[in-house]
Amino acid sequence: MRDTFVRTLIGLAKENPNIEVITGDLGFGVLKPYFEQLPNQFTNAGIAEQNMTSVAAGMALQGKIVFTYSIGNFPTLRCLEQIRNDCAYHKANVKIVCVGGGFVYGSLGMSHQATEDIAIMRALPDVAVFCPGDLTEAEKITKAIVDYPGTCYLRLGRGGEKRIHEKIEDFQVGRAIRVKDGEKVAIFSTGAIFEEVEIACEKLKESGINPTVYTFPTVKPLDEETILKCASSHDLIVTCEEHNVVGGFGGAVAEVMAENPARAKLMRIGMNDQYCVKVGNQKYLRNEYGMSGEKIAERILERIK
């Protein structure tokens, strides 16, 4: 996803000289094509994420469209006050980019894992939250947030993600994307965890379960229409996210269902209000915390029974 993001942004920045990228002293291997081609639209703020965010806000209030770039929790939790006071409050055109949502940097421990960021960023007024599930979604969102007014949060995987969609017709901010139709069970996914959802669907198929599947590249604003349509036509809605279930994507879906008539029950799959105390690669940690394709399928089958 990160390579797709950078490649797309280069094309946009060449057409729009108001686009700026600020990095917190990392990502040079990925960003190299950008700063080689657009050196006057690139700044290294150093290992100083709070300053990076305030500088971005200042640039944005002078008419720039500024992308801040860092990994894991660094561009969000480390500089939350600056995002809230300098960017969101002023509706500044700052686009906060996290590379490595969830367990991508699992081998570096919980300090580098982003498992509360969706909840925290969506709680900020006027901040839009985007979590693409594949390369096509990442490209569409990168283009969309350049034109989307105000502060945005873009949560990316790291690299090697599969392409779900060959193309997306009529991509819209705030709209879920239907992957397949099914019955009884609807699975809603946000972010790169979708590759595990695909595995889960294959496992469920072996047990005679054919779920409806949607990806939600936009967590805020949320596609309430799709949620309510599925809640009225299915028995169970399952949300999947590589994130804490408290306040995240599943929590957002729960809020919609709680305030509207719903036939379906809800099951949220993610981190169960805990920190990751284990160390390992992303695949290993997903399995350890119940988010592998096999574990997702098992939990759905248990719930149905």
Side-chain angles (χ1 to χ4, degrees):
M1 282 189 199
R2 60 183 183 179
D3 293 330
T4 298
F5 160 73
V6 172
R7 185 168 55 251
T8 304
L9 192 60
I10 288 171
L12 295 168
K14 285 182 176 179
E15 296 176 359
N16 187 347
N18 284 324
I19 292 176
E20 298 274 349
V21 172
I22 307 180
T23 180
D25 204 38
L26 47 70
F28 298 114
V30 180
L31 293 173
K32 183 179 180 181
Y34 182 94
F35 62 71
E36 284 185 339
Q37 297 177 58
L38 297 152
N40 295 326
Q41 292 168 249
F42 177 82
T43 303
N44 177 11
I47 306 174
E49 290 82 4
Q50 294 170 331
N51 288 343
M52 173 182 75
T53 304
S54 291
V55 168
M59 286 181 170
L61 293 175
Q62 294 299 312
K64 301 293 186 180
I65 302 167
V66 190
F67 286 77
T68 61
Y69 181 99
S70 192
I71 66 169
N73 285 318
F74 300 164
T76 54
L77 272 64
R78 182 167 286 185
C79 45
L80 180 58
E81 182 178 354
Q82 285 71 30
I83 294 170
R84 178 181 183 266
N85 295 353
D86 298 346
C87 301
Y89 180 72
H90 297 284
K91 297 180 171 61
N93 271 326
V94 176
K95 319 303 177 182
I96 301 149
V97 181
C98 156
V99 176
F103 295 133
V104 167
Y105 294 99
S107 60
L108 298 177
M110 63 82 65
S111 63
H112 285 60
Q113 294 165 9
T115 53
E116 307 88 30
D117 53 313
I118 296 174
I120 290 168
M121 296 305 291
R122 88 174 182 93
L124 297 176
D126 296 316
V127 175
V129 178
F130 301 91
C131 304
D134 82 331
L135 308 182
T136 308
E137 290 182 11
E139 179 182 353
K140 292 288 187 179
I141 290 170
T142 303
K143 292 177 178 178
I145 63 177
V146 167
D147 297 321
Y148 193 86
T151 305
C152 299
Y153 175 49
L154 173 56
R155 185 193 210 236
L156 298 172
R158 186 178 184 182
E161 292 86 4
K162 295 171 61 177
R163 187 178 294 275
I164 308 165
H165 319 281
E166 286 304 316
K167 61 180 179 178
I168 301 173
E169 300 290 350
D170 190 29
F171 176 85
Q172 296 179 45
V173 170
R175 299 292 292 181
I177 301 170
R178 186 177 69 247
V179 178
K180 75 184 193 75
D181 290 319
E183 55 187 13
K184 295 185 179 180
V185 177
I187 302 177
F188 296 163
S189 172
T190 195
I193 196 72
F194 183 80
E195 62 189 18
E196 302 295 346
V197 171
E198 281 194 313
I199 295 170
C201 287
E202 290 299 317
K203 297 291 183 182
L204 292 170
K205 187 177 179 180
E206 295 171 5
S207 298
I209 306 298
N210 179 36
T212 296
V213 179
Y214 279 87
T215 66
F216 281 72
T218 311
V219 175
K220 181 188 176 186
L222 192 61
D223 187 350
E224 297 187 9
E225 181 180 342
T226 292
I227 294 169
L228 294 176
K229 181 181 72 174
C230 290
S232 66
S233 59
H234 293 71
D235 298 326
L236 178 66
I237 288 177
V238 181
T239 61
C240 295
E241 58 191 311
E242 199 166 336
H243 183 273
N244 193 351
V245 295
V246 177
F249 171 59
V253 172
E255 290 167 10
V256 174
M257 293 177 64
E259 293 182 344
N260 294 276
R263 161 187 157 188
K265 300 295 184 181
L266 175 67
M267 181 170 70
R268 296 173 297 162
I269 293 178
M271 289 289 285
N272 189 25
D273 193 25
Q274 61 189 131
Y275 290 113
C276 173
V277 297
K278 300 181 180 182
V279 174
N281 64 29
Q282 186 177 31
K283 195 75 175 175
Y284 168 78
L285 292 176
R286 283 176 176 174
N287 186 64
E288 288 295 298
Y289 288 95
M291 285 173 270
S292 65
E294 293 80 4
K295 293 286 180 67
I296 291 170
E298 287 174 10
R299 291 182 65 182
I300 292 172
L301 288 170
E302 288 174 6
R303 182 63 179 265
I304 291 172
K305 291 177 182 178

